[in-house]
Structure formats: C-alpha cells, structure tokens
Amino acid sequence: MKNMKSKTLFNLIALSAALAISAIGCRHTPQKTSTIYGTAHPVNPNAMPIDNSQPMPNPNGNGIITTPAGGGPLPAGGFAGWAANSDILADQTIHFDYDKSAIKAHEQPKLDAVADYLKNHAGIAVRVEGNCDERGTEEYNRSLGERRALAARERLVQAGVDPSRLDIITYGKDKPVDPGHDESAFAKNRRDDFVVLTPPGQ
Amino acid sequence: MIIRMNSRYFTTIIIIAVLGVLGAPGLRAQETLEVSHQTKLGIPPTPITISGFSGEVASVLKFDLTVMGFISVPAGSANYELSGNNAGNVTGQLDLVGDASQSRAGGAINTSGPRSVLFSRSYQGGSLRAQAHRLADDVVLKITGVNGIAEVNGQISKIAFKAENNTGGEIYVADFDGHNPMPATQDHSIVAAPCWVPGHFALYYTSYKLGPPCVFYQDLRTGTRRNFANYPGLIGSAAVSPDGRKVAMILGKGGSVNLYVGDADGGDVKQLTFTTEDNSSPCWSPDGQWICFASKVNERRALSKVPAEGGAMERIPTGGVSNPSEPDWSPDGKMIAFTSQYLGGFNICVVPAEGGIATPLVSGEDPSWSPNSRTLVYVRRGSGGNRTLSLLDVPTKQVKDVPRVSGSSNSQPSWAR
C-alpha cells in the first residue's frame, strides 16, 4: 500500500513534468498520430443452419433439484412436426387478471372442456400458449406467459390428462390478438390459447 | 511559460495528471477503485466549444460528447476548446482556457487565465467516423480521466438489439450510436434478449425459429450458430458471466419459471432459484459472484440476487419506485440500472448495487450499461408506439436517440463489453 502510494506519487511527478514540458513546445503542431484499426466486422446473416447435433445437456445432471410444482416437470421430446390447429378449441381461450397467472373460477369449465376433448381424441396433444398484455417489460412478460401456460397445464393434469400429451409455450407480449392500447385490448391479450396438435401422418 | 504559470493553473495540471495515472490501463483494480470517479447523479454537463470540423465528423463529435457529459456552447464561453479539421483525416487539438474547476462542477465559467494545450494529434486509418469517435474518447479521457464510450479495444463500441416489423423480429448489431446496422439473423421469427459474450464478437439470444423458444449461440465473425440449450418450456434471457464461462438463463422445464446457470457449452446446468413466482432478466455482478434478476418477493415485484454458485436469495431494495425489472449491473460494480413500472409507464432507474433509494432518470425501458459504467443504452417509446434506442448519460441525464433500423421498432439493447 505504501509502496503503491509512492509509486503513484512518482508517476504523478513524472507526468506533471512531462505535461508541463509538452505544454511549452507543441501549441499548434499535432504531436501524435493515432492509428485507427479496421472497424468493419463481417456479420453474416446467411447460411446459418441450426446445429442441433449438440448433445442435449443432461436434464438430471449435477445440482438439479426439481421444484415440486402442480403440473410436475415438463416432458422432453416436444412435438416437432405435429400439425397445429388453433380453431378447434378457440372458444376455450381463458383470460387472466392483470399481472396474475391464477386461473379464475369461472374459467374452469373451459379447462374441463379441453380435458374432455383430449380424453375423447386419442393420439392428439394440446399446446397451451401463454400470452400477456403490453404492460410489463418484455422478458418479465415472457416469464409471466410461461406461468399462465403452466397454470392451465396444472389444471389439465389434475383433470386426469396425461402430462405427455401437453405442450406449453410462452409468447410474452409478442402475440397480442388486439393491438390496441386500452384496457379492453389488454383484457383480451391476457390469455391462454389451446392449440390441437396432430402427429405427422394423421 | 512555466515561470508565468499561476498556482491555480498548476493545480489543474496536477489533477489531470493524477487522473491520467489512475485511469491508465494495466493498474490494479484496487488502485482505481480508491480514487476514480464516483457516479454522481444530477450534475450539469461540462461546457466545451467545438470548431473547425464539418459534416459527419462534426456531428459525431457533438453526439459523442453529449452522451459523455459535455455540452457544445458558442466560442468564448467554455474552458475547454476542441478545434481541428477533417480535411482528409481528422486532426484535433484540445485547449484549456483559464480555470475549469468551477465549470466542471456546474459553476461560473472563468476563461481568464492562461491557455494551454491538453493534447494535439492527428488520426489516420479507419473511417472518418472512427477517427472522430477516437478523438471524442481522447477528449473525455483527458478531461475526466475516465475512458470514453466510443471505442472498446480499438474498435467502435457495439450494441446488439432486436428490430421488429410486421414480418417478425431480427437481431441486429450496430455501432453504439446506431450507425452501420447489420442483421445477425434473417429468420422472420420471434427473437429476444440478445446478450454479448464479453470480449468476443458473439451473441446469445432467444429465438422461436424452431417453434419453442430456444437460446442460440452465434459467432458473428463466421455466422455459425448452435442451439445452446434444448429443454421443454421457456428458455430465455441468457446472460453470460464476465469471464465468459457460465450462462445464466430462465427455464420453465421444471414446471415453474426459475433461474438456472450452466456452462457456456450448455452443460452442467444448475437450478439457482426455487420459487413458483416469476423470475426474469438475469445479469451478473462484474466479479462473477452474484446473479441479479427480477423476481417477486411476497407477491411484490423486486430485484433479487443469488450467489452464482448457489445459495440463499437476497432482495436488493429499490426504495421509492415500484415494480423493478430488467436489471443491469454496471461494469464498475457500483450501480444497478433497471426499469421501474407504474401503471403503463416505464422509467429507467439506478440504485446502488447493494440496494437503497432508487433514482428515476428518464422515461424508458431495458437499460444496458456502457463498458465505462457512465452511459446507458435504453428503449424509448415514440408517440406512434414505435420504439427507438436512446443513449443516456447517467450523471447529466443528457439523452440522444440513435437511428432506428428502417421500418421497425427497436428494443432490448445490449452493449458489448
């Protein structure tokens, strides 16, 4: 510490001297040339296939503690290649209060209808799509939309649906149904949509 | 000249010399922390006159100096005078006239007293823009003792952001002032939350290209990218640790939305929070010890932090403002910038990193610190609903919009460190 201080003092004196000297001699003459190195980087937006050969990280690897949640952990695998139909269950869309992911009591019959549809149609799956109004920041809403989708999933599992037949996705505030900026638009946009997924070849 | 120099002038020189020594690269962080600038808020900008430059160079100098705490004033009304020209290359000279100690504190301008040359130099190579940026940084370093924001490691400082239009969103990379925008993606799908790998020309970002949200790693030099993490449910808000070895992210795979941290290659993922509430927007403390994020505590939104190695979650108080989210820890470790929300309005705020009374600065969202911890890039909502990126000089609250990518709404900026 002492050494550091004396070093600093030495530097200070040396620099003051250098500065004083330079102040005498160089009034209007550029004394230093500063070279700028190349600044253009290529940013290549083309030809970028997604490399999916990366081994998938072990979901049960070190340090994982599974949070007990109503719906349980999400099954791996996904529904890539399944056909999506958002019309069949369009009437069952449920809505949420501002900044909440709790299912409102009067929405339960719609969830029962979704569960019944799954029970009556073997082989299909349902994707719950969570959405938010534009209030709230983007990534906050992405998390909130996930919680809304998880909340509906939890109810469907409680109603007896096999968790492996349920997919979820959050769109945050990226997919409003009403682009307006008033409460009537917000109320429509705070929602879970239910999309029927059919396996390839059916 | 030395003999005629009055004592006040000599004092000024010594102060500059001290700051010059402490701001020099290669010194240990400990020394810098003892004396370097404390981020003071609400200070007036420092007047400077700018003369002799034209066109793009003149506008770059004025822009850069504005977002680094200076204000351009008419000749004769400032202690600092930047003169030069851009005939062929940029040449600039910075003079000190009289005693600037009052003007830097916002007091009266006293231009009586000797004139001295603080530096005089010419620039070559690169574009005229790059030369002008270098000159602006040289001015800031000479006067404040702190590095400017225009260049990092000899390159024009970069930002990444999201540009959205009717066909979807793309990740863009541009100079920090919005010039030279270049698309990093052309997927026409939802994208979100770009994050730089410190010291590398590479990004992590969220993409819905494959259907569900995934985090992609992309090397911007080669254009190659890979799917960084492949889990069911939400994967988002990737944040790379200061040493580049770890990535924090938000995952929904466990059936709740929680904070996780993994290796930069996607392996060895650990869960750090165990709540059934919302968690979003992780960022790292510059020492890599903590991850700060937006959370809920007792049903109320709050900023929290958790040790990167795992441990108890601690709240970071943000007194005086409500609904904090989108934190970004300053690279010097002192401040956390974040977005507060009251009804539908968003404000950019700062709070000491240990928590305390928060200071709202301007209306806007999603702040990201410059490498020198002085300026923020953030999102400003225009009257038509379109969003524009802006730069905010935190101590003086001076703001400059950056050009928007044509026909789009720009958001979620990340400043390369």
Side-chain angles (χ1 to χ4, degrees), chain A residues 34 48 65 67 138 147 170, chain B residues 134 162 208 223 271 278-279:
Chain A
S34 190
M48 297 185 299
I65 302 168
T67 309
E138 293 191 56
R147 287 184 64 217
T170 173
Chain B
R134 172 75 64 86
K162 173 169 95 171
Y208 286 61
Q271 185 170 351
D278 303 290
N279 295 288

Side-chain angles (χ1 to χ4, degrees), chain B residues 54-375:
Chain B
S54 63
E56 190 178 34
V57 168
S59 59
V60 166
L61 287 171
K62 193 169 174 184
F63 182 100
D64 286 9
L65 290 170
T66 301
V67 296
M68 291 190 269
F70 290 82
I71 183 169
S72 168
V73 297
S77 49
N79 293 115
Y80 296 106
E81 295 185 2
L82 178 62
S83 59
N85 66 78
N86 44 279
N89 285 315
V90 172
T91 299
Q93 175 167 317
L94 180 65
D95 286 5
L96 171 65
V97 189
D99 177 5
S101 60
Q102 293 303 305
S103 100
R104 284 194 59 204
I109 310 294
N110 175 10
T111 55
S112 63
R115 167 185 292 268
S116 62
V117 178
L118 297 183
F119 70 73
S120 178
R121 58 185 65 145
S122 67
Y123 299 82
Q124 65 179 31
S127 63
L128 278 181
R129 285 195 82 83
Q131 294 184 1
H133 283 311
R134 172 75 64 86
L135 173 56
D137 271 2
D138 284 348
V139 168
V140 169
L141 178 60
K142 180 58 78 177
I143 294 175
T144 68
V146 179
N147 287 328
I149 60 171
E151 282 196 349
V152 176
N153 303 324
Q155 306 288 347
I156 297 178
S157 183
K158 296 286 184 192
I159 53 173
F161 56 97
K162 173 169 95 171
E164 286 174 294
N165 58 29
N166 296 333
T167 67
E170 308 294 353
I171 301 294
Y172 270 75
V173 170
D175 294 350
F176 76 100
D177 60 357
H179 281 261
N180 303 317
M182 293 172 285
T185 65
Q186 288 185 347
D187 294 333
H188 311 300
S189 67
I190 296 173
V191 288
C195 167
W196 289 94
V197 181
H200 293 273
F201 202 55
L203 297 173
Y204 288 84
Y205 56 90
T206 305
S207 171
Y208 286 61
K209 179 182 171 62
L210 303 176
C214 298
V215 168
F216 291 168
Y217 166 85
Q218 183 167 335
D219 183 327
L220 295 169
R221 290 180 197 279
T222 62
T224 56
R225 58 181 176 173
R226 60 184 163 82
N227 190 357
F228 160 71
N230 193 4
Y231 297 110
L234 171 62
I235 305 173
S237 294
V240 188
S241 65
D243 66 6
R245 293 182 178 175
K246 296 279 183 183
V247 178
M249 60 198 147
I250 302 295
L251 299 181
K253 73 186 182 77
S256 55
V257 182
N258 274 298
L259 173 67
Y260 293 72
V261 64
D263 290 342
D265 64 1
D268 195 22
V269 172
K270 288 179 186 163
Q271 185 170 351
L272 293 181
T273 64
F274 302 88
T275 75
T276 54
E277 293 280 10
D278 303 290
N279 295 288
S280 61
S281 297
C283 67
W284 291 77
S285 65
D287 62 7
Q289 297 299 301
W290 295 92
I291 298 171
C292 170
F293 57 101
S295 65
K296 268 189 181 163
V297 177
N298 300 328
E299 295 277 302
R300 294 171 71 93
R301 291 195 232 166
L303 298 186
S304 294
K305 65 181 180 182
V306 67
E309 297 288 322
M313 206 169 128
E314 292 176 29
R315 185 166 176 206
I316 299 176
T318 53
V321 302
S322 54
N323 297 320
S325 67
E326 302 179 330
D328 191 37
W329 206 310
S330 66
D332 67 6
K334 294 175 185 168
M335 309 277 270
I336 292 172
F338 63 96
T339 308
S340 72
Q341 182 190 355
Y342 180 70
L343 299 177
F346 299 108
N347 284 311
I348 303 296
C349 302
V350 289
V351 69
E354 66 275 16
I357 301 299
T359 306
L361 298 171
V362 292
S363 171
E365 30 182 325
D366 214 346
S368 176
W369 285 103
S370 62
N372 72 350
S373 303
R374 166 152 196 148
T375 307

Side-chain angles (χ1 to χ4, degrees), chain A residues 1 4-5 8 11-12 15-16 19-24 26-52 54-77 80 98-101 134-140 142-147 150 153 167-175 181, chain B residues 1-2 9 13-14 17-18 21 28 31 34 91 93 95 115 117 120-126 130-131 134 151 155-156 158 162 164 182-184 186 190 192-193 201 208-213 216 218 220-223 225-227 230-234 237 250 252-258 265-266 268-271 274 276-281 296 301 325-326 339 341 344 346 365 381 387 411-412:
Chain A
M1 193 67 201
M4 204 160 67
K5 266 187 184 158
T8 305
N11 282 341
L12 174 110
L15 227 120
S16 306
L19 238 129
I21 291 164
S22 69
I24 306 170
C26 58
R27 180 122 188 236
H28 284 292
T29 339
Q31 68 190 31
K32 193 173 168 188
T33 298
S34 190
T35 300
I36 316 283
Y37 299 101
T39 53
H41 290 290
V43 176
N44 179 6
N46 300 312
M48 297 185 299
I50 305 299
D51 177 9
N52 265 326
Q54 260 316 94
M56 190 173 137
N58 178 3
N60 298 310
N62 298 339
I64 290 288
I65 302 168
T66 304
T67 309
L74 302 177
Y98 169 64
D99 202 19
K100 295 281 187 256
S101 57
E134 68 179 13
R135 293 172 294 173
T137 51
E138 293 191 56
E139 294 311 298
Y140 176 82
R142 209 173 301 285
S143 289
L144 178 59
E146 181 86 350
R147 287 184 64 217
L150 288 166
R153 177 180 179 272
D167 192 16
I168 61 153
I169 192 167
T170 173
Y171 290 117
K173 58 176 173 179
D174 287 329
K175 281 200 172 180
H181 304 293
Chain B
M1 184 159 178
I2 290 178
Y9 169 68
I13 291 291
I14 294 229
V18 171
V21 168
R28 291 194 319 211
E31 289 179 64
E34 283 177 6
T91 299
Q93 175 167 317
D95 286 5
R115 167 185 292 268
V117 178
S120 178
R121 58 185 65 145
S122 67
Y123 299 82
Q124 65 179 31
Q131 294 184 1
R134 172 75 64 86
E151 282 196 349
Q155 306 288 347
I156 297 178
K158 296 286 184 192
K162 173 169 95 171
E164 286 174 294
M182 293 172 285
Q186 288 185 347
I190 296 173
F201 202 55
Y208 286 61
K209 179 182 171 62
L210 303 176
F216 291 168
Q218 183 167 335
L220 295 169
R221 290 180 197 279
T222 62
R225 58 181 176 173
R226 60 184 163 82
N227 190 357
N230 193 4
Y231 297 110
L234 171 62
S237 294
I250 302 295
K253 73 186 182 77
S256 55
V257 182
N258 274 298
D265 64 1
D268 195 22
V269 172
K270 288 179 186 163
Q271 185 170 351
F274 302 88
T276 54
E277 293 280 10
D278 303 290
N279 295 288
S280 61
S281 297
K296 268 189 181 163
R301 291 195 232 166
S325 67
E326 302 179 330
T339 308
Q341 182 190 355
F346 299 108
E365 30 182 325
R381 194 174 290 260
R387 290 170 297 172
S411 62
Q412 298 201 307

